């Protein structure tokens, strides 16, 4: 086992798997156990997510200053970079923070995928559970199952995948800052701004499409986690931004 796989198993996969099975043994509902696990993960990641939301707001606020620096030093790339770094330090802005958050979330998604895939296999569970977590006699992977209406979280679910993609669209659209006002005095700057706006618009549609493609064939437990995470993130963003407006 390579070092990455070892760390992945020790710090993500096994802890999440054991918490999920412990919750299932306590509650008796696999879907509710995933919901509680999701809320726990979001609580742990809340400080990072809060910082990311604040960073997005600062980014939107300093865009005019950034554009002024780029225009002033358009013929001196080194000076432009130095002035932008000074601006970031002055505004306490980290342009790479959203990327850091993404790199944190991706391993969690992979871990949850393997947790869901292996968490319903009793034969595999016996070797992965901690000594204090009881091995259930059977696992029923449903969020609900009554009168023929059921959501089997071990199987793909297209409606849930579509709802998650729509939620992702809402989140990306809400989080995308408005484009900076154009300045007709510099055609080159306007062209760069137009390219930036075009890329933002593409991301608004790219992320939901990618989400649907991933969840189309993945266990719907992953979709349940994804849609909950997305909705909570939108809620966090609205609450934090409203608090800042009040201040």
């Amino acid at each position: 086992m390579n070092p990455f796989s070892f760390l992945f198993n020790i710090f993500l996969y096994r802890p999440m798997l054991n918490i999920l099975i412990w919750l299932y043994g306590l509650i008796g509902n696999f879907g509710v156990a995933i919901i509680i696990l999701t809320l726990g993960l979001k609580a742990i990641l809340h400080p990072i997510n809060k910082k990311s939301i604040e960073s997005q707001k600062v980014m939107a606020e300093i865009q005019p200053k950034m554009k002024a620096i780029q225009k002033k030093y358009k013929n001196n790339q080194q000076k432009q970079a130095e002035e932008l770094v000074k601006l970031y330090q002055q505004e306490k802005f980290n342009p790479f923070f959203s990327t850091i958050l993404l790199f944190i979330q991706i391993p969690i998604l992979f871990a949850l995928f393997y947790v869901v895939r292996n968490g319903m296999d009793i034969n595999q569970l016996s070797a992965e559970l901690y000594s204090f977590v009881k091995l259930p006699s059977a696992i029923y992977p449903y969020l609900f199952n009554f009168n023929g209406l059921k959501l089997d979280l071990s199987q793909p679910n297209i409606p849930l995948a579509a709802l998650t993609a729509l939620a992702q669209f809402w989140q990306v659209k809400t989080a995308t800052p408005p484009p900076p006002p154009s300045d007709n005095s510099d055609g080159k700057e306007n062209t760069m701004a137009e390219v930036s706006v075009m890329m933002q618009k593409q991301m608004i549609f790219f992320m939901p499409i990618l989400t649907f493609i991933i969840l189309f064939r993945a266990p719907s437990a992953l979709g349940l986690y994804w849609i909950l995470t997305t909705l909570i993130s939108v809620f966090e963003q609205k609450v934090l931004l409203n608090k800042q407006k009040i201040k």
Side-chain angles (χ1 to χ4, degrees), residues 59-68 70 176-184 189-198 200:
M59 175 66 175
E61 291 175 346
I62 67 174
Q63 272 188 350
K65 295 180 181 179
M66 290 172 60
K67 189 175 180 183
Q70 290 167 349
T176 302
S182 60
D183 183 359
N184 295 326
E189 293 291 332
N190 282 337
T191 301
M192 292 176 64
E194 289 171 2
V195 170
S196 176
V197 171
M198 183 176 67
Q200 287 180 357

Side-chain angles (χ1 to χ4, degrees), residues 2 20 59 69 78 84 97 108 118 126-127 130 132 169 189:
N2 62 59
L20 180 64
M59 175 66 175
I69 290 172
Q78 182 177 349
L84 286 173
F97 202 88
I108 292 175
N118 300 334
S126 57
Y130 300 141
F132 54 86
F169 173 81
E189 293 291 332

